[in-house]
Amino acid sequence: MIEPLVLKGFRDSLPKTEIPRRKIMRMLEDVFTSYGFVPIDTPALEYTNVLLGKGGGETDKQIFHFQDNGKREVAMRFDLTVPFARFLATNFSSLPIPFKRYHMSKVWRGENPQKGRYREFIQCDFDMVGADNALSDYEILSLMDASFKALSIEGYTFHVSHRGLFNTFLEHNGILDKSVDILRLVDKLRKIGEEEVTKQLIELTESEEKAKKIISYISRAEDENFLDCVNRLEALAGGECESSNRLREIYALLQAQGIEKHFILDPSITRGLDYYTGIVYETFLDELPSIGSVCSGGRYNNLTSLYSKECLQGVGSSIGLDRLLAALEELKHPLLKEVANADVIIYMKEGQEKKAVECASILRGEGIKTDIYLLPGKKMKAFYDYAAKCGTRFVVMFDDDCKESLKDLITRDTTAADINTIAKIIKEHNS
Amino acid sequence: MIEPLVLKGFRDSLPKTEIPRRKIMRMLEDVFTSYGFVPIDTPALEYTNVLLGKGGGETDKQIFHFQDNGKREVAMRFDLTVPFARFLATNFSSLPIPFKRYHMSKVWRGENPQKGRYREFIQCDFDMVGADNALSDYEILSLMDASFKALSIEGYTFHVSHRGLFNTFLEHNGILDKSVDILRLVDKLRKIGEEEVTKQLIELTESEEKAKKIISYISRAEDENFLDCVNRLEALAGGECESSNRLREIYALLQAQGIEKHFILDPSITRGLDYYTGIVYETFLDELPSIGSVCSGGRYNNLTSLYSKECLQGVGSSIGLDRLLAALEELKHPLLKEVANADVIIYMKEGQEKKAVECASILRGEGIKTDIYLLPGKKMKAFYDYAAKCGTRFVVMFDDDCKESLKDLITRDTTAADINTIAKIIKEHNS
């Protein structure tokens, strides 16, 4: 016998997890498509040099790569962004531009598994390329808001910042050349605290004054509103500029739609990565900030230059589905609280198969998820154990004359009724 | 610059393909869940020895396998059946038994790409384990019928056969020891023709009489009905037996549900694979038989023995999604005929962003897929090119006073109307 082991950092998804996961993915898909976003798919395997670009470094060690039977160097995708850039370059002429796509699929990283981090996970990315204006920045933020609303998540806040404005501020203070290191430090604020960040900023800029300016830029009074914050940052960056006006335009659109309350301008958000050029954002759940950002992204203006002469400006987001699922479970969100394999199970004695099949057909026709217990006449103890593992509340049974009744496994009530009445009862319960 | 190449045998899925593919997967998922089937997922990577079992042979050459950074021998799954067997062994105690699962996901095979065959493709598997009776055989056939009905496919026929009955027949004729080779030959009937199969059967059985008996067993008059065929095969196999009675019981349930017309008993169906023990089946589209079976499977009674002492009897099917999609495209099925990125696109001039966003919000609230063209004031030629690539028929535009009108890009009519009236027009068109 072979031991049925799962690889380290990988895991099975059992129905208890997979049912809500698929439900959430479908709800997100419905929101994405309502905004005119379209699905694409790319191969799980690509040429290693296509995925790594000029590459090397940390990512190199983290990806699953190998030589295939045809001696090609191939690798499993580690995100959906790089394949999207390659996809755009490959298929440019057949795509409408601007192009809005979503992609929900698995990616693989060979990093050391930690709590909540796996070597295989699902990313839900949505991006639009081919436009750089307040309207497109707004559209992506609006879509994020609509997504969280659709999932009936209460209490979420989008922390928005602007990398262009931050760079203007750094330039105004003569420290733009250190921007990459400064960004990485600021990004650590939540983890290592203001004191430590200040200390390291002083070392980096060799100036207490400049370090303090950076700290004052990224610090925000809890009650500072969006536009006041724009004014303050703009002043620190040397006055009105394209980036600050962009933020005002975006905010005006958020206000026009009455969704501005979910957005705060939070200059401490920088997103570590180099490639952002405009707005950047992270999303926190008000009741569970400790779990970190559940949806992040920003504007990048150079996605495809590695593969193509076309320079496509884009803005996009990624929902960390597994992290979001973990959060919703902790928050006892209805989507994860009651997961049942079916609405009702039909139990029968031997010889009642035709009756069972007939009733199942009627219930399914009414949109009721109907499971047939496949072992006619099995002892009730075994059946109840099955029903409990299925998480299913209702059971249809038949007496010796094949008259049907409905048993509620929670109240333990049994109601004799014809199958159409039973359908009504279950549908009322579901609604 | 890096050339944006896709690996041989792999391909991007553009919206034109991915939109209908996702639609079909959701429709199938709705049918599966209505039957009480639940989704699971397993890792794309597994230990190589777990996937190959005692392994070696053809499969060995076809799978993508490599040594990971931790020196583990790992492989990408080449089907969803072997991972399911491993999954059952790993998670047995937490699953309800009988267990009914579906799994729609990618698998990878390094075989040489041919027309319509790729190295990466999606399988849609649905299986139930833990019961061996007519009821469960019927349930899986009924679910197949419901799936094809849900996709509004006209003209499909399930060709059902019984491996146990065929074995009884072989035993009755003293050639059971050659069953594996005989099965493989019979499976080639469609490809190489009756004459060639007969010739090879004579060589194999060293008996013209036995070869002819096999041919007479697997041949079926076009108008032979299901029960007549059971009677004929049973007689050839030495009389009434468990397998023939099972077929009768299954047929009685199909009849009770009025779906028997989609099923024929076709003894030429054997399914090459060793592990089937009961019913086996393939599915052909009446108008496109040449494309081959689009849904195949059968009963196997030893799925988990490689990994576990639990012996789980099962029956299951696999829909070849890519083949089905290719067929539906050829048949000009409505699902693939008109694929649009959105129901409507909003076009605006500069300064009309707030109005555009407001209208989009109303249309989306009405369930209308609404795309905003992200380049305000762009020339109409560029916009119409965009709309054509999106496949979208309707456009909302605004005059200089921000009054909205609806343009139909097919009839070229323009209707001035408020946005709520426009919503009604589009919804009527969609329904």
Side-chain angles (χ1 to χ4, degrees), chain A residues 2 4 12-13 22 29 35 41 44 61 86 90 93 100 106 120 133 139 364 371-372 374 389, chain B residues 4 12-13 22 29 35 41 44 69 86 90 93 100 106 120 133 139 306 364 371-372 374 389:
Chain A
I2 296 169
D12 286 328
S13 180
R22 293 193 74 91
E29 179 162 56
Y35 271 67
D41 193 28
K61 282 178 220 153
R86 199 272 308 139
T90 311
S93 63
K100 306 171 181 180
K106 281 183 175 178
E120 174 179 71
N133 52 29
E139 264 301 84
R364 288 167 186 161
D371 183 23
I372 293 181
L374 294 173
K389 280 186 170 165
Chain B
D12 287 326
S13 180
R22 294 193 74 91
E29 179 162 55
Y35 272 67
D41 193 30
N69 288 339
R86 199 272 308 140
T90 311
S93 62
K100 306 171 184 179
K106 281 183 174 177
E120 174 179 73
N133 51 31
E139 248 330 62
L306 199 57
R364 288 165 186 163
D371 182 21
I372 294 182
L374 293 174
K389 280 185 170 167

Side-chain angles (χ1 to χ4, degrees), chain A residues 241-424:
Chain A
C241 62
E242 210 181 311
S243 302
S244 57
N245 283 331
R246 171 71 64 91
L247 284 170
R248 285 192 190 93
E249 284 177 69
I250 296 170
Y251 194 70
L253 289 169
L254 294 172
Q255 274 186 312
Q257 279 310 299
I259 55 173
E260 77 281 9
K261 65 177 185 295
H262 289 128
F263 295 84
I264 62 168
L265 188 58
D266 178 353
S268 73
I269 300 293
T270 63
R271 308 288 301 146
L273 298 166
D274 293 352
Y275 53 75
Y276 291 112
T277 54
I279 54 164
V280 288
Y281 35 81
E282 298 189 349
T283 310
F284 298 96
L285 302 178
D286 299 351
E287 293 176 55
L288 206 62
S290 62
I291 205 160
S293 173
V294 290
C295 175
S296 313
R299 170 168 290 283
Y300 43 83
N301 278 348
N302 238 326
L303 190 61
T304 53
S305 61
L306 199 56
Y307 311 104
S308 156
K309 274 177 241 161
E310 301 291 343
C311 178
L312 282 174
Q313 305 161 319
V315 60
S317 300
S318 186
I319 292 179
L321 190 65
D322 292 311
R323 187 182 283 186
L324 183 62
L325 265 169
L328 296 184
E329 195 169 358
E330 205 164 325
L331 294 174
K332 301 196 192 321
H333 189 284
L335 276 172
L336 279 103
K337 233 170 40 184
E338 283 167 31
V339 177
N341 288 15
D343 300 320
V344 60
I345 307 172
I346 298 182
Y347 175 89
M348 77 204 82
K349 297 177 193 138
E350 280 181 68
Q352 297 181 325
E353 285 86 350
K354 270 190 203 174
K355 176 72 182 177
V357 158
E358 185 194 315
C359 287
S361 179
I362 292 168
L363 294 173
R364 288 167 186 161
E366 294 287 329
I368 296 166
K369 290 177 182 149
T370 306
D371 183 23
I372 293 181
Y373 185 59
L374 294 173
L375 304 172
K378 187 92 176 173
K379 280 188 186 151
M380 292 311 288
K381 195 188 160 311
F383 171 70
Y384 285 132
D385 179 46
Y386 172 83
K389 280 186 170 165
C390 288
T392 300
R393 176 167 180 171
F394 292 108
V395 180
V396 170
M397 300 171 153
F398 312 107
D399 67 14
D400 290 339
D401 298 325
C402 269
K403 297 280 182 214
E404 53 271 43
S405 61
L406 181 70
K407 178 154 188 169
D408 181 330
L409 293 180
I410 292 182
T411 64
R412 304 198 154 263
D413 292 342
T414 301
T415 317
D418 67 283
I419 196 65
N420 291 305
T421 310
I422 287 175
K424 265 185 215 151

Side-chain angles (χ1 to χ4, degrees), chain B residues 4 9 27 42 59 65 131 138 157 253 333 349 375 388 396 427 430:
Chain B
M27 292 166 101
T42 66
T59 320
H65 64 106
Y138 160 79
T157 306
L253 289 168
H333 190 283
K349 296 177 194 138
L375 303 173
V396 170
K427 279 169 82 174
N430 281 351

